[in-house]
Amino acid sequence: MYTAEWLRKKRNELKLTREQLANLSDVSHFTIEGIEQKKYLGSNKTWEMLVLALGEDFNSEKVPQKPTSDIVKNADWLKSKRLEYNITQQELADSLAIHLRTITNIEQGKRVGSLNTWKKINAFFEKNSNKY
């Protein structure tokens, strides 16, 4: 399976910086950094471009898959909690000092959300539980 560790190891073996790999693969160095820091998994196309740029044969079966049930569960929980508190996505994002897009992507199941984001979300709802 292609993993953050695999990517980092292959990149280091070839003595490539993220920027160099980005130029070789046409994948943003921010995307490469996000994958290596386990902020997101990367799409099939992203992995294909990275693997080929690293001189390996691409195998789509090795692309990490999102644990769909957990994503759906988290998306549903966040949306229902936010609606229970009668706040908009923008109000929640502003309260957490994160981008609106982050909340939207989590609620739509497009992103899992980082550990730091979930800490902020949980702290917000715990702190405000008696206000709503």
Side-chain angles (χ1 to χ4, degrees), residues 37-114:
Q37 292 178 354
K38 300 181 182 180
K39 289 183 179 177
Y40 42 88
L41 297 174
S43 68
N44 276 2
K45 186 64 178 169
T46 297
W47 277 106
E48 181 179 8
M49 293 187 305
L50 289 170
V51 170
L52 294 173
L54 291 167
E56 298 283 324
D57 291 328
F58 178 70
N59 180 345
S60 62
E61 293 177 11
K62 291 185 174 183
V63 174
Q65 300 298 314
K66 296 176 183 175
T68 319
S69 61
D70 289 344
I71 290 175
V72 170
K73 192 182 339 177
N74 289 342
D76 290 346
W77 179 87
L78 178 58
K79 186 173 183 176
S80 68
K81 200 73 167 168
R82 184 179 56 74
L83 294 174
E84 175 187 325
Y85 281 55
N86 197 30
I87 57 175
T88 66
Q89 289 178 337
Q90 185 66 62
E91 289 168 330
L92 180 59
D94 290 346
S95 296
L96 302 175
I98 61 176
H99 292 283
L100 168 62
R101 185 176 9 173
T102 301
I103 299 298
T104 303
N105 285 339
I106 291 171
E107 286 191 7
Q108 292 177 351
K110 293 180 180 176
R111 293 273 189 255
V112 177
S114 69

